[in-house]
Amino acid sequence: MSELLGIPLKRTLEVDFATELSKLIDATSFQTASFFQPDISKVATARNNAITPDISVGGLDALKKYYAILLQLEKKFPNNQIEFTWFQTLSQKSHGCGQYSLQWEKLTIIYNIGCMYSLLALDSNSDSAESLKKSCLYFQNGAGCFKYVLDHQATLKTEAVVDDSTAKALTSLMLAQAQECFWFKAVQDKHKDSLIAKLSQQIVNFYAESISDSQKGKLIRNDWTNHLKAKKAYFSAVTYYRMALSFNGKKQFGSMVKALQTALQFLNESTLSSNAKFKTVIESALKEAQRDNDFIYLQQVPSELPTIQPASMVKPSSIVGLLPSVDDSEQLFKDLIPIEVMDYCTAYNERQDKYVEQRITNPLTSLSKLLKESMTTYQIPQELKTISETELKQYQASLNNLQVNNENIQSELDNITHILNEEALSDNQLRLKHGTLHWTLPESSTINAKYYEKLNKLKEYIDQGSAIDKQTNELFQTIDKTLITSGIKLPESNDPLTNKIKQVIQERSEHIEKTKRRSSEYRILSKIISSYKKSGTTDFEPIFIEHLKYFDEDLRYVNNTKQENMKLIHEIERKENNKTNESGETKKMERTDPRELYIEDLKYSLGLLDEVKDNLNAGTTFYENLINSTNTFCNEVREFDATRRIEKTKLDESLIFEGK
């Protein structure tokens, strides 16, 4: 056997693993890096041995040892802290890629293990049965590694180790060469030609898959693809040659001729250096078969031959058992607390906070809220909010602005009135001057009527606006401005029940703050670390359940508070019932509680302010519309007056000329 391909190992840049791991430990662990210096050195050495391995079983072991260490590092450290740079070696132009990912590094090492298996298979390649068996196994192991990379790199958040099409092509190539080893052993053992044909047909199929994927991929060179095509053509020739021999045994001489012709056609497509000897064999066999069939057997040569069912004897090796597990190497960083444990601590702290919130602080808050809502004199209703002095001044300014708008519109309407009156006076004087028979323009009293009507309407509107502005201003002056601009501060109640409830709510609020503070100080971290160091497992749930018993006293306090709430609300209801007489009517009682007086006064002043704000909003819109209407009307009147002036001048000059 010859002309098999080995996959070149990827190359990498050296990483100062010792420094990078030291930084990482110092940043993410309770311990310092100096405590783990021996383990750090072992990791750095393992990588240095793995990046330039000899093509040997020892080199394979170096790769696997580093892979096992990476499994440990994945459990101990974050994935994205150290940068690894690797260079592709399949394509004619090598290009590098750097990624911050332990997973990417691990899959790249698996890829290189696959490459190493392919190279070891070439080294083991000889005609002996034992070496064929070993080569076949190595090629299947290589296929298993490439397939594993293909199946798992989709989960990477970084660039792929190798594009999917190339990974598929390499997997098929390894299987083709493994099948080739099996086929060669079958030839040596002189198995039936029909079986050997099925074995070689499977080789053809594997090479066909590899060719298809290599043409889609980004890395496999054209000379490799051409080599795969040559191998496919060669083994197609082998398949039909073995079919021909099988047909000869069955005395199907016409089919034998067709099979040999087809074999020769495929062989002519192959460019392998080993073709010459095989071609001589086929040509000799074809010549003899054609002569015998033409002169002796006289069988018809078919146009097509039956399809050959391939026989696959190889498959990608399972990664389980092929690669070491995390337990197959010396355990490193035994005393290091991994990030996973810290994540557990964070998660349990969040669960503890939620537990305290849901079981203690929220129930106490809800009970206090329920108590407050039952007491009308306890606190200011939420809808009551004071305003700033600046906001109050803005309302005063808005009132002043309404007055300015009103005055401006009044002035504009007076101007319009003056224009219309002047136009009527002018028309009357000219009519007296020339006489009604000669002064033929329409009288102002007729043509001006629509303008006076619109003018009067606008004056009505402005008078209405003035009246509303006056009411709004008077309403604004009645507001207790000091009350609504001062911070809300309820006076002390003189009601014993109210004061008692205030004290209870204050105690609950203090208990809530105290519980939050105690919870923030009482964390599970030390218990988890202690448990992890003893067992090495991450089943911390029983520890957490026991940890929460610390808050049992708080839970009892919440339960007692519920009972207290029911009693206080019952007292409130009884007090409210005492305010009504036997017929259900409310008893006439003077308001003596300062809180009730304060709230009522604040409600009243804020209610007046709401009315003022509504009037201001409506007034602003009113004057905007009225200003637009007045401006439009003013333009109409000016245009009318200008037109009438021109008409009067023309008629006046005409009558004077005729009089002369």
Side-chain angles (χ1 to χ4, degrees), residues 87-219:
F87 295 87
Q88 300 288 2
T89 53
L90 279 174
S91 57
Q92 291 179 335
K93 184 178 180 181
S94 178
H95 65 277
C97 176
Q99 299 291 335
Y100 286 87
S101 173
L102 282 170
Q103 292 178 336
W104 190 70
E105 171 84 348
K106 182 185 70 174
L107 286 179
T108 304
I109 292 301
I110 295 175
Y111 175 88
N112 264 8
I113 291 173
C115 295
M116 179 64 78
Y117 272 122
S118 74
L119 297 171
L120 289 176
L122 296 187
D123 281 355
S124 302
N125 181 31
S126 68
D127 294 344
S128 69
E130 188 61 31
S131 65
L132 286 172
K133 181 179 179 181
K134 184 180 292 187
S135 293
C136 181
L137 178 61
Y138 281 165
F139 281 130
Q140 291 179 85
N141 291 348
C145 291
F146 296 136
K147 186 176 187 302
Y148 184 89
V149 171
L150 172 66
D151 293 341
H152 289 79
Q153 66 182 359
T155 61
L156 289 175
K157 296 181 180 179
T158 60
E159 183 175 317
V161 174
V162 62
D163 66 272
D164 287 355
S165 294
T166 299
K168 291 177 183 178
L170 296 180
T171 302
S172 297
L173 172 59
M174 293 296 100
L175 293 176
Q177 296 184 159
Q179 180 84 3
E180 197 171 332
C181 293
F182 197 94
W183 164 85
F184 192 74
K185 181 65 169 59
V187 172
Q188 286 183 332
D189 293 344
K190 299 182 179 181
H191 284 286
K192 291 182 179 180
D193 293 313
S194 58
L195 174 59
I196 294 176
K198 291 180 179 180
L199 294 175
S200 62
Q201 181 58 40
Q202 182 61 55
I203 297 173
V204 172
N205 291 352
F206 281 137
Y207 276 122
E209 293 171 5
S210 185
I211 292 167
S212 176
D213 288 318
S214 69
Q215 291 173 332
K216 299 174 186 175
K218 302 176 181 178
L219 299 176

Side-chain angles (χ1 to χ4, degrees), residues 303-531:
S303 59
E304 293 183 358
L305 293 172
T307 302
I308 304 170
Q309 295 299 323
S312 179
M313 305 304 294
V314 296
K315 62 181 180 180
S317 298
S318 172
I319 213 73
V320 178
L322 183 62
L323 296 179
S325 69
V326 71
D327 298 323
D328 291 337
S329 62
E330 177 187 1
Q331 296 299 301
L332 304 176
F333 308 102
K334 291 181 181 179
D335 295 326
L336 182 72
I337 305 302
I339 297 301
E340 179 186 13
V341 173
M342 298 302 297
D343 290 341
Y344 273 113
C345 290
T346 301
Y348 280 125
N349 287 340
E350 291 175 356
R351 285 178 60 185
Q352 176 180 319
D353 291 340
K354 195 170 184 180
Y355 176 86
V356 169
E357 180 181 339
Q358 293 179 342
R359 303 287 295 275
I360 301 171
T361 61
N362 282 355
L364 288 177
T365 302
S366 298
L367 288 170
S368 294
K369 182 180 179 182
L370 183 62
L371 208 52
K372 290 177 184 179
E373 291 174 349
S374 301
M375 287 296 296
T376 57
T377 61
Y378 181 75
Q379 65 174 2
I380 290 288
Q382 291 185 353
E383 66 272 12
L384 295 184
K385 295 181 180 179
T386 58
I387 65 172
S388 65
E389 292 187 5
T390 301
E391 186 177 350
L392 189 68
K393 290 178 181 178
Q394 290 175 348
Y395 295 138
Q396 181 64 65
S398 297
L399 284 170
N400 296 340
N401 192 46
L402 293 182
Q403 179 64 31
V404 171
N405 287 337
N406 185 288
E407 292 173 357
N408 289 339
I409 294 173
Q410 289 277 15
S411 176
E412 192 69 17
L413 292 178
D414 290 343
N415 187 33
I416 293 172
T417 301
H418 177 73
I419 292 173
L420 290 175
N421 289 342
E422 285 295 316
E423 192 283 327
L425 178 61
S426 172
D427 179 71
N428 186 48
Q429 289 175 347
L430 290 171
R431 196 174 296 280
L432 290 174
K433 176 181 177 180
H434 296 290
T436 303
L437 292 177
H438 296 94
W439 192 255
T440 57
L441 290 178
E443 293 186 20
S444 291
S445 59
T446 301
I447 200 168
N448 277 352
K450 63 180 181 179
Y451 295 110
Y452 276 109
E453 182 181 354
K454 195 168 185 178
L455 177 63
N456 292 333
K457 198 70 175 176
L458 290 174
K459 286 183 176 181
E460 289 179 11
Y461 287 150
I462 198 65
D463 290 341
Q464 293 174 5
S466 299
I468 295 174
D469 292 345
K470 181 180 179 182
Q471 292 175 2
T472 302
N473 193 56
E474 291 174 352
L475 196 64
F476 185 71
Q477 300 308 319
T478 62
I479 294 174
D480 188 337
K481 298 179 179 60
T482 301
L483 180 62
I484 66 173
T485 56
S486 302
I488 296 178
K489 185 177 181 181
L490 284 172
E492 289 295 327
S493 175
N494 56 13
D495 177 49
L497 181 57
T498 299
N499 290 331
K500 180 180 180 180
I501 290 174
K502 177 183 177 182
Q503 181 180 356
V504 168
I505 291 175
Q506 179 63 31
E507 289 176 357
R508 293 175 185 175
S509 177
E510 291 173 356
H511 191 92
I512 288 173
E513 293 304 316
K514 180 182 177 182
T515 303
K516 288 180 179 179
R517 185 169 59 254
R518 287 169 56 235
S519 178
S520 66
E521 296 170 353
Y522 179 71
R523 292 307 197 188
I524 198 173
L525 176 62
S526 60
K527 296 178 181 178
I528 283 183
I529 291 175
S530 177
S531 172

